[in-house]
Amino acid sequence: MHVDDTKIVCVGIVVAGLVFLASSQFDAILHIQVPAEEPLETTAVLPSAPKSKPENLNIGIRNGLAGIAVLIVGIHLEGNLGDIMETLPLIQQLSYWGVRVDAVSDDWKPEAYRIHSSRAESMLKLITNVTTNSNWEKAMTIQGLRYRAIISAPGPCFVNICGKRASARKADKVFALGLSAEYLSVVLKDASCFRYIWMRERESIAVFEKRFPKLQSPFFGADLSYSFDAKSQAVNLWRERYIVKLRTYGLKNVPTIVVSRENNWGASKNVRLSPTDQGLLQVRPLYPPGERDGHGDEWINISLKQVIFVTSDEDTDRKHLEALKNLPAVPVVIPFQSVQEMLGFFQAVSELGSSVYVDRYHCGIAAHRMGANVTIIRYGREGLKMAGLVDLISHDPLALRQRNVQAFKKLYDALASP
């Protein structure tokens, strides 16, 4: 993979598997009355639910920063649900403060394939102007605005803003929010212009401090996905639909959930079919430091007949999902269409006591937030990020959301100050 100063490839595939109870056991565990209507197909779109107040919109003063404009650089609008889950809370909070939000979309895809997905509509409606111009310095000139801040968008990769000093001087302040330090040594040549850095993993902070020992240490404020509104009516509706839908899959044992991406799948990778039994799926877990030392080659076996594969990025995963459907046991495949659907699904399966194995960062966070027992699968290409996720899921999700509250308060003060 080639990574230059402003073009970063951060692509992944999320796939998950489930294993379920016989119908009599299923009913006994759930103890609920299911809706009488026909269950929705997994690709169906629910009717719009009444808006619920996003959980972070009580931070700071409503319209307290009215008249301020910011430019978010490197934002992902291609429809990956993890990108939406981590970015929407930031845009909602800025909008609550009365801030005008402009954005430059990330250019990891060729220009012809850079799209604004309908799944990103919740973000797009809160952004005043979006440009796909990879030269974001030119985009600033087009806008003709004096931005109070340029923000490197949440994600695994910094945008090399400080390396573009002329543009950095066109804004009063430069921030980096909700970031990991993946690819840091390749991407970030200079971090001196950042006035406020909010990083989402302790492991990433350690890497940043080693790389830039003379700079102020970043603030640890968890991943922004922990601030996504998980209590909305839409999430509960999806939970109820999946409680009904799961009965139709013919699975007979307690669910096991396996999340896998295409480039971590295969005989030499960390998610594979057993070389001795094609009816078994094998995953190789990533344990916390010091836990199960010497077990790096351990494989966990899961009956393929009990697996349901899911993804949070249908567009990227489409070919992989089609290939999964052709596996010997023909597992069920579900491409999520919204973050609310993903959260509702994980809540439904967590109530069954499902184990969840993931090599996809935000599916891991979604499952953790909804109470599932999560184990991380090894994924060497983004080892630092996944190691950070191992640490995050060891904490109470409420405590991590509170870290984000503190991080948002620091952002408000940083924007408000001269």
Side-chain angles (χ1 to χ4, degrees), residues 288-327:
E291 183 178 321
R292 305 197 185 190
D293 286 341
H295 291 265
D297 292 326
E298 176 183 354
W299 290 92
I300 296 174
N301 295 322
I302 303 164
S303 173
L304 191 59
K305 292 180 180 179
Q306 302 302 327
V307 172
I308 293 177
F309 289 103
V310 305
T311 179
S312 61
D313 192 346
E314 180 185 19
D315 297 328
T316 301
D317 290 355
R318 185 169 287 112
K319 290 183 180 179
H320 184 48
L321 297 181
E322 290 301 317
L324 293 176
K325 292 178 183 178
N326 294 322
L327 291 177

Side-chain angles (χ1 to χ4, degrees), residues 43-281:
T43 55
V45 179
L46 284 175
S48 298
K51 281 189 177 181
S52 62
K53 183 179 180 181
E55 292 170 328
N56 273 326
L57 295 192
N58 59 348
I59 301 170
I61 302 171
R62 182 184 290 274
N63 294 321
L65 300 177
I68 289 176
V70 304
L71 179 69
I72 302 178
V73 180
I75 195 170
H76 288 278
L77 300 168
E78 302 92 3
N80 178 293
L81 301 184
D83 295 332
I84 296 169
M85 191 178 177
E86 69 178 349
T87 308
L88 183 59
L90 171 62
I91 300 174
Q92 287 177 323
Q93 188 62 77
L94 290 169
S95 298
Y96 176 79
W97 294 335
V99 174
R100 169 183 167 142
V101 178
D102 290 347
V104 178
S105 60
D106 190 87
D107 60 353
W108 69 274
K109 287 186 176 183
E111 186 75 35
Y113 297 98
R114 260 177 257 158
I115 60 171
H116 296 165
S117 169
S118 60
R119 288 189 290 275
E121 182 180 354
S122 56
M123 293 195 293
L124 287 166
K125 68 182 182 181
L126 297 176
I127 299 174
T128 302
N129 188 74
V130 181
T131 178
T132 59
N133 194 326
S134 59
N135 184 346
W136 56 271
E137 297 176 273
K138 183 178 179 181
M140 291 183 66
T141 303
I142 292 172
Q143 302 306 323
L145 291 174
R146 175 73 180 185
Y147 290 106
R148 174 64 61 90
I150 303 173
I151 297 174
S152 182
C157 313
F158 279 80
V159 176
N160 190 32
I161 298 173
C162 301
K164 311 291 185 182
R165 290 189 177 275
S167 289
R169 286 196 294 269
K170 293 178 183 177
D172 295 330
K173 304 169 186 179
V174 180
F175 304 139
L177 308 177
L179 286 156
S180 174
E182 203 75 60
Y183 314 120
L184 185 69
S185 62
V186 179
V187 174
L188 198 59
K189 310 300 183 183
D190 179 7
S192 60
C193 72
F194 289 110
R195 291 275 297 271
Y196 173 42
I197 299 177
W198 162 358
M199 299 192 78
R200 66 191 192 184
E201 304 127 5
R202 299 179 197 275
E203 286 76 3
S204 289
I205 291 176
V207 170
F208 183 93
E209 290 174 338
K210 184 176 181 179
R211 170 78 170 160
F212 302 106
K214 296 182 179 180
L215 298 182
Q216 182 176 355
S217 179
F219 182 80
F220 170 51
D223 187 85
L224 275 149
S225 297
Y226 284 101
S227 297
F228 189 94
D229 181 12
K231 297 181 179 179
S232 70
Q233 182 178 348
V235 172
N236 188 57
L237 286 172
W238 277 115
R239 169 193 166 273
E240 292 178 357
R241 268 60 173 181
Y242 270 113
I243 286 173
V244 175
K245 189 67 178 175
L246 295 176
R247 296 182 176 195
T248 69
Y249 295 144
L251 302 174
K252 299 179 179 179
N253 297 315
V254 175
T256 298
I257 300 165
V258 182
V259 181
S260 169
R261 62 179 77 211
E262 184 175 18
N263 54 12
N264 202 30
W265 171 276
S268 63
K269 303 297 179 63
N270 296 300
V271 184
R272 68 184 188 185
L273 295 180
S274 168
T276 59
D277 184 349
Q278 294 294 290
L280 287 179
L281 185 70

